[in-house]
């Protein structure tokens, strides 16, 4: 009996593998989708502002204003453009030619020499609030280095009494790509996992081949398992390819161990495939299954996973909701594995959550397929 | 002829809306996602957990600590007694920053030497790391200037007077929520057209459609109009929620926004129909829909600025309709733009729509053989 069950199962497996080979779209989902998306998007996502076009308006140029604007010219964050008056600078900002205006009024130098606290007008385009805030930070840096340089020049102490040093752990260059690419892998693997399995059960329902299978002695458990195994292998292959691209092409550091990476990826892949199987068994027709897959995978994994938007900044209710998004746990694991290393206090709870989600999805898929059988 | 197109349109609407699951999927999730994403998608920091290691313990440093405890941006969760737990706290993400105040802090302040303060920041999310440093620097600068004023030290020669145009409080919801209009409109449109032709191909009903007296253009109308109708209605609901629920100011012409919306839905419909007619199976169509949707959203400027992308990717975004529509939405909402300010965004979408729709219609018959 044992042997018969095993033979049945290998027969089913063979069928699945043949089906995969016959329609190349499964192979495309596993390898082409991650590679293409990672290559294009990996070059695209960045929150680091460099060479921001900024309008400099100096109404009375002299040595003091020149020393200030000189600091802008040296800064890698800015590309200064000169404007004669504030009106033309405002017009340039409205036209999108500059992101910010730095304005030294005509009495700037006089007031600076007389009483100090001479105002420097800074106007940023606030439409992209995040970008605007980063730009404000960079302006502030330019201002404080200029103050220090001025003081040194006059042989005085720095007018700011604090000496602030910053140390950024794990990502000393504060390059946003280093944190976005690991998150991107989690996002892409969510899609791959769900896409691989979202349609497979629905297709069999739609074509009636599942009923044909049901009249044989094959058990539902075996049918689902036979679907899971080949797609799991494909998904893990895609994951390996993605990690290779991240490390060798984008130069993202990999500080965790491969063993932990493989283990947690396997858990995540089971959860993602399980979700696909669940969608598929629930919808029973490919069109609806496809619609559900589009809706439940991409945008939640994009916005609610911590890939770009920090979960800690969200309101409590929304933070609570993010717990049903499997990608959330994988993003946390991947960001830590890539940038920090095997930090167990981050990896264990997140891996546990992934395991629970995998079990729930697979059990639910199994449960609703069974119910419809009789 | 119009009667036939109308009949086809009704049939298409029925296939989309008659299936209960499909109806639920089209209407429920986009509206739920609007509410959740509207609150979730923010770059603003709020109660970031930090720890302070104050080695100085005098009135001056306690005053600095109070500046941090009083800030709504930070939430001081631990006052450390030694530097040992610092790395662990950051590694485990319990805190995002540790502020270390040097034992020489007060002595240096009083003797006029720069007083050392160190920030140790978790860099795993580099954007948050930069923002944390920015906020902390603001607090430190305020403290420094206040100290100077109290001690009668000469003020710095110049100070910054910073203002933000169009979004004075730099609330990132003002940037993100209008973007969600584009995001969800594209989603709904793709849900309707992304697999529609492929489904009929797979079940064989598309061949039947092709042998009716309907011309390709009529089929195109029948297939495309439902997404225009449903996409338009859902977009209207989302725009209304943006204005009245999320309180985002709508400063420009609504008509200019709707003209952009029309062109956007038409161009996404064209792309969706093209993918759908290229595919032989629904699985291929779904793959195609994802291969378009994911890069089009991430490379649209929705969350990360296009100006930060590498150059060839920036060129690639020119064929992405969402890029143009996002500019339109934000310009109309925040900058108060009218028709004339948006022509540079309108025509590329019109071109994309035209090319993809013609290609889709051409592909209808091409695939028959």
């Amino acid at each position: 009996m044992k042997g018969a069950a095993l033979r049945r199962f290998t027969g089913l497996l063979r069928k699945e593998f043949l089906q995969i080979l016959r329609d190349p779209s499964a192979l495309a989902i596993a390898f082409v989708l991650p590679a293409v998306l990672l290559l294009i998007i990996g070059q695209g996502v960045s929150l680091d502002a460099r060479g921001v076009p900024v309008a400099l308006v100096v109404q009375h140029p002299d040595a003091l204003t020149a020393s200030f604007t000189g600091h802008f010219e040296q800064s890698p964050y800015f590309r200064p453009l000169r404007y004669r008056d504030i009106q033309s600078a405002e017009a340039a900002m409205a036209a999108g030619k500059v992101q910010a205006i730095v304005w030294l009024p005509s009495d700037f130098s006089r007031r600076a020499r007389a009483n100090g606290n001479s105002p420097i007008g800074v106007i940023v385009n606030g439409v992209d609030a995040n970008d605007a805030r980063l730009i404000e930070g960079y302006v502030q840096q330019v201002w404080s280095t200029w103050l220090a340089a001025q003081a040194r020049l006059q042989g005085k102490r720095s007018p700011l009494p604090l000496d602030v040093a910053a140390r950024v752990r794990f990502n000393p260059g504060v390059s946003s790509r280093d944190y976005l690419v690991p998150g991107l892998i989690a996002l892409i693997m969510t899609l791959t996992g769900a896409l691989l399995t979202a349609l497979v059960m629905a297709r069999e329902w739609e074509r009636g081949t599942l009923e044909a299978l049901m009249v044989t002695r094959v058990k539902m458990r075996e049918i689902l398992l036979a679907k899971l195994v080949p797609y799991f292998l494909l998904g893990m292959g895609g994951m390996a390819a993605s990690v290779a691209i991240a490390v060798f092409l984008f130069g993202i550091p990999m500080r965790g161990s491969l063993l932990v990476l493989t283990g947690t990826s396997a858990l995540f892949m089971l959860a993602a495939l399980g979700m696909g199987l669940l969608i598929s068994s629930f919808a029973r027709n490919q069109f609806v299954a496809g619609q559900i897959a589009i809706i439940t995978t991409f945008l939640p994994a994009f916005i609610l996973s911590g890939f770009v938007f920090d979960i800690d900044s969200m309101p409590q209710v929304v933070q609570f909701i993010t717990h049903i998004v499997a990608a959330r746990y994988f993003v946390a694991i991947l960001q830590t594995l890539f940038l920090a290393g095997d930090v167990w206090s981050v990896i264990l709870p997140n891996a546990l959550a992934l395991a629970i989600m995998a079990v729930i999805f697979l059990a639910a898929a199994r449960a609703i397929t069974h119910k419809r059988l009789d | 002829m119009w009667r036939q197109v109308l009949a086809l349109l009704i049939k298409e609407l029925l296939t989309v809306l008659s299936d209960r699951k499909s109806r639920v999927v089209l209407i429920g999730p986009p509206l739920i996602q609007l509410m959740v994403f509207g609150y979730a998608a923010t770059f603003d920091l709020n109660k970031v957990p930090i720890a302070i290691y104050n080695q100085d313990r005098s009135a001056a440093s306690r005053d600095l600590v109070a500046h941090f405890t009083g800030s709504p941006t930070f939430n001081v969760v631990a006052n450390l007694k030694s530097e040992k737990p610092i790395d662990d706290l950051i590694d485990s993400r319990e805190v995002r920053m540790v502020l270390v105040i040097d034992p020489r802090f007060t002595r240096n302040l009083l003797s006029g030497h720069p007083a050392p303060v160190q920030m140790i920041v978790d860099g795993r999310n580099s954007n948050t790391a930069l923002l944390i440093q920015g906020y902390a620097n603001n607090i430190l600068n305020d403290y420094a200037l206040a100290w100077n004023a109290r001690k009668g030290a000469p003020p710095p020669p110049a100070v910054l007077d910073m203002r933000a145009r169009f979004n004075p409080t730099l609330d990132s919801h003002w940037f993100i929520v209008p973007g969600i209009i584009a995001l969800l409109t594209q989603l709904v449109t793709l849900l309707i057209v992304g697999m529609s032709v492929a489904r009929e191909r797979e079940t064989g009903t598309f061949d039947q459609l092709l042998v009716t007296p309907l011309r390709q253009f009529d089929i195109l109308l029948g297939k495309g109009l439902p997404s225009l109708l449903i996409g338009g209605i859902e977009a209207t609901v989302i725009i209304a929620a943006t204005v009245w629920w999320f309180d985002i100011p709508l400063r420009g012409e609504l008509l200019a926004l709707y003209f952009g919306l029309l062109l956007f839905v038409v161009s996404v419909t064209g792309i969706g129909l093209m993918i759908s007619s290229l595919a032989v199976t629904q699985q291929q169509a779904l793959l195609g829909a994802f291969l378009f949707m994911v890069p089009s959203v991430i490379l649209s400027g929705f969350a990360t600025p296009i100006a930060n992308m590498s150059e060839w990717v920036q060129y690639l975004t020119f064929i992405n309709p969402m890029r143009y529509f996002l500019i339109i939405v934000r310009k109309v909402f925040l900058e108060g733009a009218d028709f004339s300010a948006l022509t540079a965004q309108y025509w590329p979408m019109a071109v994309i729509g035209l090319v993809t729709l013609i290609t889709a219609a051409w592909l209808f018959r091409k695939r028959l053989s």
Side-chain angles (χ1 to χ4, degrees):
Chain A
M1 204 54 212
K2 258 260 154 84
L6 195 69
R7 252 205 332 276
R8 263 198 327 256
F9 185 65
T10 47
L12 276 175
L13 264 184
R14 215 174 95 82
K15 163 194 159 274
E16 293 298 332
F17 273 115
L18 282 178
Q19 260 181 332
I20 289 171
L21 289 179
R22 212 170 297 150
D23 179 3
S25 62
L27 285 171
I29 290 171
F31 294 102
V32 180
L33 180 94
V36 169
L37 291 184
L38 198 58
L39 284 178
I40 299 178
I41 300 174
Q43 297 281 330
V45 284
S46 165
L47 288 161
D48 310 330
R50 289 282 182 283
V52 177
V54 53
L56 290 183
V57 181
V58 182
Q59 274 173 319
H60 261 258
D62 60 20
L64 191 66
T65 63
S67 77
F68 182 73
T69 54
H71 275 85
F72 271 93
E73 258 132 36
Q74 282 154 26
S75 163
Y77 301 116
F78 295 109
R79 186 162 54 82
L81 301 164
R82 300 279 178 160
Y83 286 86
R84 226 174 316 122
D85 46 46
I86 189 74
Q87 285 81 10
S88 53
E90 291 261 14
M93 186 151 93
K97 283 186 201 134
V98 297
Q99 287 271 63
I101 300 171
V102 175
W103 176 33
L104 303 180
S106 52
D107 58 353
F108 171 78
S109 298
R110 190 184 54 76
R111 288 179 67 176
R113 289 200 183 92
N115 304 320
N117 281 335
S118 181
I120 302 168
V122 178
I123 306 166
V124 293
N125 183 334
V127 171
D128 185 339
N130 188 57
D131 222 23
R133 235 188 229 117
L134 295 179
I135 292 172
E136 284 190 348
Y138 297 144
V139 172
Q140 215 155 33
Q141 269 179 32
V142 170
W143 169 73
S144 58
T145 47
W146 171 72
L147 283 184
Q150 278 302 107
R152 254 200 321 279
L153 216 65
Q154 296 166 355
K156 286 194 288 195
R157 290 209 183 95
S158 168
L160 292 176
L162 298 184
D163 167 27
V164 181
R167 181 159 69 93
V168 180
R169 275 177 69 82
F170 313 126
N171 189 354
V174 273
S175 142
S176 64
R177 193 154 291 159
D178 283 5
Y179 99 87
L180 288 170
V181 168
L184 193 57
I185 294 178
L187 175 66
I188 293 172
M189 282 301 125
T190 306
L191 305 182
T192 310
L195 271 178
L196 282 172
T197 45
L199 298 190
V200 289
M201 288 300 284
R203 190 164 49 200
E204 301 239 13
W205 278 112
E206 212 172 286
R207 293 181 181 163
T209 47
L210 200 64
E211 280 160 47
L213 273 179
M214 281 174 193
V215 297
T216 65
R217 302 180 58 177
V218 171
K219 298 202 178 67
M220 210 60 209
R221 197 177 54 223
E222 293 168 352
I223 296 179
L224 284 173
L225 198 63
K227 297 250 178 241
L228 201 59
V229 172
Y231 292 113
F232 176 77
L233 293 177
L234 277 181
M236 289 301 279
M239 178 73 200
S242 304
V243 172
I245 291 175
V247 173
F248 297 115
L249 215 68
F250 292 131
I252 314 291
M254 178 71 220
R255 304 204 169 103
S257 62
L258 274 180
L259 194 70
V260 180
L261 178 67
T262 314
T264 47
S265 304
L267 283 178
F268 175 73
M269 196 45 68
L270 285 176
L273 292 172
M275 183 166 151
L277 273 182
L278 179 62
I279 291 172
S280 197
S281 321
F282 167 77
R284 278 193 178 193
N285 99 43
Q286 291 188 74
F287 189 69
V288 177
Q291 287 186 325
I292 299 179
I294 290 179
I295 276 202
T296 55
T297 55
F298 172 51
L299 289 181
F302 175 38
I303 295 179
L304 302 178
S305 65
F307 160 52
V308 215
F309 302 107
D310 208 315
I311 294 177
D312 286 340
S313 307
M314 300 176 187
Q316 284 295 322
V317 185
V318 179
Q319 285 194 28
F320 186 71
I321 295 174
T322 61
H323 284 284
I324 59 173
V325 180
R328 177 213 151 114
Y329 307 107
F330 200 42
V331 167
I333 291 176
L334 285 186
Q335 282 180 354
T336 297
L337 278 182
F338 271 94
L339 298 177
D342 295 345
V343 182
W344 292 108
S345 53
V346 174
I347 289 164
L348 281 182
N350 285 300
L352 184 69
L354 283 180
I356 292 171
M357 291 199 91
V359 169
I360 290 176
F361 281 139
L362 291 171
R366 169 82 182 77
I368 60 174
T369 340
H370 184 243
K371 222 189 287 172
R372 309 245 174 143
L373 194 58
D374 33 34
Chain B
M1 171 224 147
W2 287 108
R3 263 224 321 273
Q4 289 168 337
V5 175
L6 189 70
L8 185 61
L9 173 64
I10 290 171
K11 174 220 147 220
E12 289 295 332
L13 276 176
L14 278 177
T15 41
V16 173
L17 296 176
S18 65
D19 184 320
R20 197 180 60 85
K21 282 177 194 153
S22 179
R23 203 164 54 221
V24 169
V25 161
L26 270 182
I27 296 165
L31 298 181
I32 297 171
Q33 292 192 340
L34 168 69
M35 294 327 266
V36 177
F37 296 166
Y39 286 106
T42 174
F43 284 118
D44 306 334
L45 300 186
N46 180 20
K47 289 198 182 297
V48 179
I50 63 167
I52 294 180
Y53 176 32
N54 184 357
Q55 297 168 279
D56 180 64
R57 298 179 180 282
S58 66
S61 62
R62 272 200 299 275
D63 185 32
L64 177 63
V65 171
H67 273 71
F68 277 88
T69 353
S71 152
T73 310
F74 296 112
N75 178 17
V76 182
V77 294
N79 281 300
L80 307 181
K81 300 270 181 287
S82 77
E83 63 180 322
K84 239 175 63 205
I86 292 180
D87 286 357
D88 267 354
L89 279 173
I90 288 186
D91 287 3
S92 63
R93 287 199 153 170
E94 272 168 69
V95 302
R96 292 302 189 87
M97 178 183 79
V98 179
L99 186 77
V100 183
I101 302 173
D102 198 88
R104 293 165 295 173
F105 185 80
T106 310
R107 196 168 12 125
N108 282 15
L109 264 184
L110 290 172
S111 64
H113 291 92
V117 179
Q118 194 191 17
M119 304 184 249
I120 303 169
V121 189
D122 177 2
R124 266 169 286 188
N125 182 329
S126 69
N127 191 56
T128 307
L130 280 178
L131 292 176
I132 287 176
Q133 287 182 56
Y135 280 108
N137 269 326
N138 278 343
I139 294 179
L140 292 168
N141 274 336
D142 285 350
Y143 176 85
L145 293 175
W147 172 273
N148 270 356
R150 227 174 22 243
K151 294 291 156 189
V159 288
L160 296 172
D161 171 22
M162 296 210 267
R163 260 165 240 199
R165 205 39 57 87
F166 309 123
N167 182 359
T169 56
L170 290 184
D171 181 345
S172 67
H173 284 113
W174 287 25
F175 177 65
I176 299 289
V177 176
I180 293 178
I181 299 173
L183 217 60
L184 292 178
T185 306
Q186 167 160 303
L187 179 79
V188 170
T189 310
L190 278 180
L191 284 179
I192 296 167
V193 293
M195 292 167 70
S196 69
V197 180
R199 167 162 66 170
E200 297 218 35
R201 278 251 159 75
E202 206 172 309
T203 49
T205 51
F206 201 69
D207 293 344
Q208 293 170 9
L209 207 60
L210 287 178
V211 296
T212 59
L214 287 165
R215 294 169 306 164
Q216 271 142 302
F217 176 70
D218 304 334
I219 301 177
L220 197 65
L221 271 183
K223 287 270 168 207
L225 281 178
S227 68
L228 209 58
L229 271 173
I230 302 175
I233 293 170
E234 289 211 28
T236 303
V237 175
I238 298 169
I239 290 171
T242 307
V243 176
W244 284 303
W245 181 269
F246 288 103
D247 282 327
I248 313 291
L250 175 64
R251 295 173 176 143
E253 285 177 8
L254 199 58
L255 208 63
L257 178 64
Y258 267 87
F259 186 62
L261 179 71
L262 175 77
L263 290 174
F264 179 59
V265 177
V266 167
S267 53
V268 175
T269 302
I271 291 170
L273 282 178
M274 202 173 83
I275 293 169
S276 179
S277 346
L278 261 174
V280 184
T281 62
Q282 292 185 67
Q283 172 141 39
Q284 288 175 6
L286 187 63
L287 173 63
F290 269 105
L291 269 176
F292 163 69
M293 182 171 73
V294 176
S296 90
V297 168
I298 299 185
L299 303 179
S300 63
F302 169 74
T304 66
I306 291 179
N308 295 355
M309 298 171 189
S310 57
E311 208 169 320
W312 67 271
V313 179
Q314 289 195 34
Y315 284 117
L316 206 62
T317 63
F318 285 120
I319 56 168
N320 181 7
M322 198 175 200
R323 171 208 162 105
Y324 305 103
F325 188 52
L326 272 179
I327 298 179
I328 293 176
V329 181
R330 286 171 179 154
K331 274 194 179 272
V332 171
F333 266 91
L334 302 181
E335 296 183 31
D338 56 11
F339 264 99
S340 56
L342 298 170
T343 35
Q345 319 300 330
Y346 290 142
W347 69 262
M349 286 199 291
V351 172
I352 295 170
L354 211 63
V355 170
T356 51
L357 284 173
I358 291 172
T359 315
W362 180 72
L363 284 170
F364 286 167
R365 273 191 198 283
K366 209 60 201 163
R367 274 278 163 162
L368 194 57
S369 54

